[in-house]
Amino acid sequence: MKYILFILFTVLTNAAAQVMLKQGMLSLGPLSFTADTFIARIFQVVFNPWVFAGLATFVISMVSHLYVLSKVELSFAYPFLSLAYVAVAVFAYFVFKEDLNAWRIAGIGFICVGTILIAQSGMSSHSDEQSLEAAGAKTAKIGSAS
């Protein structure tokens, strides 16, 4: 459980990046591309302050996620990213006044319950696996005969 804070940091930075990207695209308005304006339009999008901040925040989120993946099982860490949908839906409701109807709330509830179940399943870190191997315990590895 000591990596939950890093996992939640990853989730929140991922959600924050989405909100920033949305704000950037709202400030740009609807996009249209032509052969003559394609490159200029891409630069306009990428260098919009909100979009740029969102992309930079995604990089921070990814670095955090890579750290988490180096410490815990993928099947434990990855499902927590679904909480980013929960955070984005709540932020979108308050910041952008987007609809948060009964169906979305029910879906958010299912996501939260599923994430709680996964969190309760426990996790083993890569250091735990190495400790078991050092103690002589065998672990199953993909692509190797046990």
Side-chain angles (χ1 to χ4, degrees):
M1 293 300 246
K2 63 184 177 180
Y3 298 108
I4 291 292
L5 287 178
F6 288 104
I7 292 170
L8 293 178
F9 177 78
T10 301
V11 167
L12 291 176
T13 51
N14 185 298
Q18 288 293 334
V19 172
M20 288 181 231
L21 292 174
K22 176 65 176 176
Q23 182 60 46
M25 297 315 294
L26 285 174
S27 70
L28 288 170
L31 291 181
S32 62
F33 294 100
T34 65
D36 297 338
T37 63
F38 182 77
I39 299 296
R41 202 66 166 137
I42 294 295
F43 278 100
Q44 182 184 21
V45 169
V46 171
F47 290 106
N48 171 282
W50 284 106
V51 173
F52 191 83
L55 294 173
T57 304
F58 263 136
V59 170
I60 292 166
S61 180
M62 185 54 60
V63 169
S64 174
H65 189 60
L66 291 172
Y67 173 76
V68 167
L69 291 178
S70 75
K71 301 294 184 182
V72 302
E73 295 171 336
L74 176 62
S75 60
F76 179 81
Y78 189 73
F80 281 90
L81 292 180
S82 64
L83 291 176
Y85 174 78
V86 175
V88 166
V90 171
F91 280 126
Y93 175 77
F94 286 108
V95 175
F96 303 118
K97 308 299 183 222
E98 292 186 6
D99 188 29
L100 195 57
N101 59 39
W103 288 107
R104 289 183 185 178
I105 292 169
I108 287 169
F110 282 120
I111 290 169
C112 291
V113 168
T115 305
I116 289 168
L117 291 174
I118 290 166
Q120 295 303 314
S121 73
M123 67 173 174
S124 65
S125 66
H126 295 301
S127 59
D128 292 342
E129 291 173 10
Q130 292 167 352
S131 298
L132 287 172
E133 287 174 2
K138 289 190 174 188
T139 58
K141 300 264 190 238
I142 295 175
S144 65
S146 294

